[in-house]
Amino acid sequence: MNKVMSNKLVIALYVLPALILIVTLIYGPILLTGYYGLMEWNGIGPMSFVGLDNYIELVQDSKFWESAGHSFLLAFFSTLSLAGYLIISLILGGKIKGSNLLRKIYLIPMLLSSVAIAQLWIKIYDPNNGMLNSLLMALGVDNPPAWLADPNYVLYAIFVAILWQYAGFYIIIYYAALKGIPETLIEAARIDGANPVQIAYKIKVPLIAGVIKVTIVLAIVGSLKYFDLIYVMTGGGPNGASEVIASYMYQEAFGSYNFGYGSAVAFFLLLITLVITWLTRKLTASGDEVQY
Amino acid sequence: MAETKHNTGTERNNLSRIGMILLYAALVIVAIFQLYPLVWLFLFSLKSNAEVFGLSPFALPQDPKWDNYIRVWTDGNIDLYFFNSVWITVASVLLTVLLASFVTFAITRMNWKLNKLVLGLFMVGLMVPIHSALIPLFDFFLTVDLIDHPLSIILSYTAFNLPLTIMILLGFYYTLPREVEEAAVVDGCSVHRIFFQITLPMTTPVIATTAIINMIYNWNEFVFVNTFISSDKFKTLTVGIQNFIGQYLTDWGAIGATLIISIIPILIAFLVLSDRIVEGIAAGSIKG
């Protein structure tokens, strides 16, 4: 038994192809990003070493901090929206007819490409022929804004599309977690006279605290990485009003051919992602394992 | 006394019934918010420009223009992008699931010292933001002459989906009884025969889950194709649609038809396999 299952050659044959692939295409590039950030490079010609210049420029670059501010704002709103998803999941988890069907309907947008979602919402927000402004005008609003062309509204307009895309995802996660709570606990509370709101707030929510913390990490880290949807919907515009970290990086590298500076932005994105993941895990390590 | 008690009882019942109806209404409103934009998309995909610009956006198409679909399919190159998406998705899914199964088998069934370390290496990959790898990855494919070659995206999809796929497979492999495999070893079976003829067939349910999740990710992927591929002949639907819409900016019917074509395979997969998709998404929730 041990001999056959310890064959080193077979193990190498089974593991190495995948291992080589992730080392070459994930770990190599991730490590190189920080190094490329030390270079000045137009993507084709030779690289020249400029030390920490790109990183110093990054710290002083107001356009970068504006983009980072937008990313953090999206992260903040995404985290807040989790409360709404949790409430919906709590209602769905009560014995409601059709909850299975509703859950699946909620999920559908999540399965579509960000490109398709972006194009659809461009049409919804169309100032003249779009669904939203026609509805608003029918309700008596004069001159509703051109949502995606207005620097004051563009980020919120994008956020609504993000809500639409991800609602089902979080609802599915919460719903699955709530299903894992033993029925006996809830029954015991009910016999003691707790009403449904108390049961939800005092029993169910604390019991899935671990999952809630994981979704907070997901919402924050996911928001900091938003790219496709914004790139297609507004390209970061108008005039940088919806630029985020990832779109700024892409624009610098593949739009302006500042690959060195783009790498510095990408490295910052990597660091902040890892720090936030680590911090949130650290802060929540004790609450992860809930014993019933 | 007994009477008042009875009364407050029915009042409370009425109150909770009203509460239930309100909650239910809230859920249905959310469902409409999630579904109606897609219905609206389908409706305008069947309209002519005269209808889009002249009538209310909520009007039904007067004379459904299925012609929009035929037009974009042939004139708009959408057929080419569609088939590129199909074969690139299928190739990546097959490669990812096969390689991930190899790794999971070696980690859970074979005896070697570094298995925990190697598993850890794959799992850390779940946290890596792809945008942070993009520039060096672009440079790498440039160096090995794979820029504007479909292999660059197939290999990228495989590498970036391996961690998640292995994670989902792992849970299933751990719960799978080993007796059959152990008996096969006693009978003198080779490792390859055990893997291909016993383990792989036994793991079909979880392979289906990982395949459908991989399919959705690959079908929808945009950044890698947009960055690595420049020739029309290799572009997939997500980037192709962008091209197409750039040319047909004001043709709402054509744009709607293209978007519907791009989401139909996903919707069909969803109708057939929704439970597996839900399961895979819940399991893969830590993928970033």
Side-chain angles (χ1 to χ4, degrees):
Chain A
M1 162 82 197
N2 275 341
K3 223 177 201 170
V4 185
M5 287 305 204
S6 309
N7 188 329
K8 290 274 187 302
L9 197 71
V10 176
I11 292 170
L13 194 68
Y14 280 19
V15 174
L16 278 182
L19 198 59
I20 290 170
L21 215 50
I22 67 156
V23 168
T24 326
L25 300 185
I26 300 181
Y27 292 111
I30 281 294
L31 296 175
L32 277 175
T33 296
Y35 171 72
Y36 282 20
L38 303 171
M39 304 288 164
E40 190 170 317
W41 179 42
N42 65 8
I44 309 157
M47 294 184 196
S48 60
F49 184 79
V50 293
L52 289 173
D53 281 7
N54 286 328
Y55 293 98
I56 293 166
E57 195 187 329
L58 184 73
V59 175
Q60 299 166 342
D61 180 354
S62 63
K63 269 189 84 181
F64 167 74
W65 288 110
E66 211 181 298
S67 317
H70 297 151
S71 290
F72 286 119
L73 199 65
L74 287 179
F76 177 70
F77 285 134
S78 300
T79 312
L80 279 188
S81 66
L82 292 177
Y85 303 144
L86 183 58
I87 291 171
I88 293 174
S89 311
L90 283 164
I91 303 173
L92 276 177
K95 293 180 180 68
I96 267 191
K97 256 189 210 155
S99 72
N100 209 15
L101 178 69
L102 283 170
R103 237 169 358 119
K104 284 175 184 171
I105 290 175
Y106 296 161
L107 188 66
I108 292 174
M110 160 84 193
L111 308 175
L112 313 181
S113 71
S114 296
V115 173
I117 292 173
Q119 292 295 353
L120 171 58
W121 282 84
I122 288 176
K123 295 293 180 237
I124 290 176
Y125 287 131
D126 188 282
N128 302 313
N129 309 295
M131 192 165 96
L132 180 61
N133 280 5
S134 301
L135 192 68
L136 288 175
M137 285 195 279
L139 292 173
V141 180
D142 292 327
N143 292 321
W147 302 96
L148 296 178
D150 190 325
N152 296 316
Y153 293 113
V154 62
L155 211 55
Y156 302 101
I158 289 173
F159 181 67
V160 172
I162 292 173
L163 274 182
W164 188 74
Q165 182 174 18
Y166 285 99
F169 174 69
Y170 290 107
I171 291 171
I172 292 255
I173 295 176
Y174 287 147
Y175 184 85
L178 289 167
K179 275 281 160 236
I181 298 175
E183 194 60 38
T184 50
L185 273 178
I186 293 157
E187 204 46 53
R190 199 170 288 142
I191 290 166
D192 287 346
N195 66 38
V197 177
Q198 287 171 324
I199 292 176
Y201 183 66
K202 296 251 174 72
I203 298 176
K204 289 182 177 173
V205 171
L207 280 175
I208 63 161
V211 173
I212 293 174
K213 285 161 185 169
V214 170
T215 56
I216 292 175
V217 180
L218 283 177
I220 297 175
V221 171
S223 305
L224 296 180
K225 293 187 297 193
Y226 280 140
F227 175 76
D228 305 18
L229 191 82
I230 295 173
Y231 181 78
V232 176
M233 265 175 104
T234 64
N239 198 16
S242 63
E243 196 86 81
V244 291
I245 301 176
S247 67
Y248 188 60
M249 180 278 287
Y250 202 84
Q251 177 53 37
E252 280 296 321
F254 298 98
S256 312
Y257 300 104
N258 291 326
F259 280 83
Y261 191 63
S263 296
V265 178
F267 191 62
F268 177 87
L269 179 64
L270 173 69
L271 285 188
I272 197 160
T273 307
L274 293 182
V275 166
I276 286 175
T277 308
W278 178 79
L279 254 182
T280 325
R281 292 255 159 96
K282 188 98 182 162
L283 289 173
T284 60
S286 52
D288 261 352
E289 255 40 78
V290 179
Q291 299 291 324
Y292 296 122
Chain B
M1 186 70 200
E3 191 124 274
T4 42
K5 207 171 193 178
H6 179 74
N7 273 345
T8 51
T10 44
E11 253 167 50
R12 189 174 298 157
N13 265 342
N14 282 338
L15 212 65
S16 78
R17 189 168 301 155
I18 292 169
M20 271 307 270
I21 291 169
L22 284 179
L23 290 180
Y24 211 83
L27 291 183
V28 171
I29 288 170
V30 176
I32 292 171
F33 174 70
Q34 291 300 92
L35 211 51
Y36 187 71
L38 291 172
V39 175
W40 185 67
L41 168 66
F42 179 63
L43 292 182
F44 84 66
S45 78
L46 295 174
K47 290 182 180 178
S48 66
N49 262 357
E51 284 176 83
V52 168
F53 296 123
L55 300 173
S56 156
F58 297 98
L60 294 176
Q62 293 172 323
D63 170 28
K65 286 192 68 177
W66 296 102
D67 175 54
N68 285 341
Y69 284 82
I70 298 161
R71 201 154 46 91
V72 301
W73 182 256
T74 48
D75 300 350
N77 259 354
I78 296 299
D79 54 345
L80 172 70
Y81 303 140
F82 189 91
F83 288 119
N84 283 343
S85 273
V86 170
W87 82 261
I88 287 174
T89 296
V90 169
S92 314
V93 170
L94 288 179
L95 188 62
T96 311
V97 172
L98 182 69
L99 291 184
S101 294
F102 273 139
V103 172
T104 315
F105 179 82
I107 285 174
T108 60
R109 296 294 187 270
M110 303 190 70
N111 316 303
W112 45 302
K113 281 191 189 118
L114 294 174
N115 65 353
K116 285 281 176 288
L117 180 83
V118 169
L119 177 62
L121 212 52
F122 278 105
M123 291 301 107
V124 172
L126 284 167
M127 293 196 296
V128 172
I130 62 166
H131 300 102
S132 294
L134 200 59
I135 294 169
L137 208 51
F138 174 79
D139 186 37
F140 171 76
F141 286 127
L142 210 58
T143 313
V144 295
D145 216 9
L146 283 181
I147 282 294
D148 205 20
H149 190 291
L151 212 51
S152 64
I153 42 180
I154 293 175
L155 292 178
S156 301
Y157 290 172
T158 306
F160 280 85
N161 284 333
L162 271 172
L164 175 72
T165 309
I166 291 173
M167 194 188 76
I168 298 176
L169 289 178
L170 212 57
F172 192 87
Y173 271 73
Y174 278 135
T175 60
L176 205 64
R178 296 156 180 244
E179 281 78 11
V180 188
E181 287 155 347
E182 279 164 8
V185 173
V186 175
D187 287 349
C189 237
S190 77
V191 183
H192 304 304
R193 275 195 63 186
I194 293 175
F195 176 75
F196 283 105
Q197 296 190 351
I198 297 172
T199 310
L200 267 193
M202 281 199 300
T203 56
T204 355
V206 73
I207 285 178
T209 303
T210 54
I212 183 75
I213 291 293
N214 267 288
M215 177 208 144
I216 293 171
Y217 282 129
N218 295 343
W219 185 269
N220 291 337
E221 204 280 331
F222 171 72
V223 180
F224 286 140
V225 188
N226 196 44
T227 313
F228 301 153
I229 302 295
S230 51
S231 308
D232 255 0
K233 62 175 189 280
F234 297 133
K235 276 179 184 160
T236 59
L237 265 173
T238 48
V239 173
I241 286 175
Q242 277 298 95
N243 272 12
F244 173 83
I245 291 176
Q247 294 162 21
Y248 290 71
L249 223 42
T250 55
D251 192 340
W252 282 49
I255 293 172
T258 319
L259 295 179
I260 290 285
I261 290 173
S262 83
I263 64 182
I264 271 183
I266 299 284
L267 288 183
I268 291 174
F270 182 68
L271 285 179
V272 182
L273 290 164
S274 61
D275 290 327
R276 293 236 170 274
I277 293 176
V278 170
E279 177 193 321
I281 284 178
S285 59
I286 69 159
K287 183 192 161 80

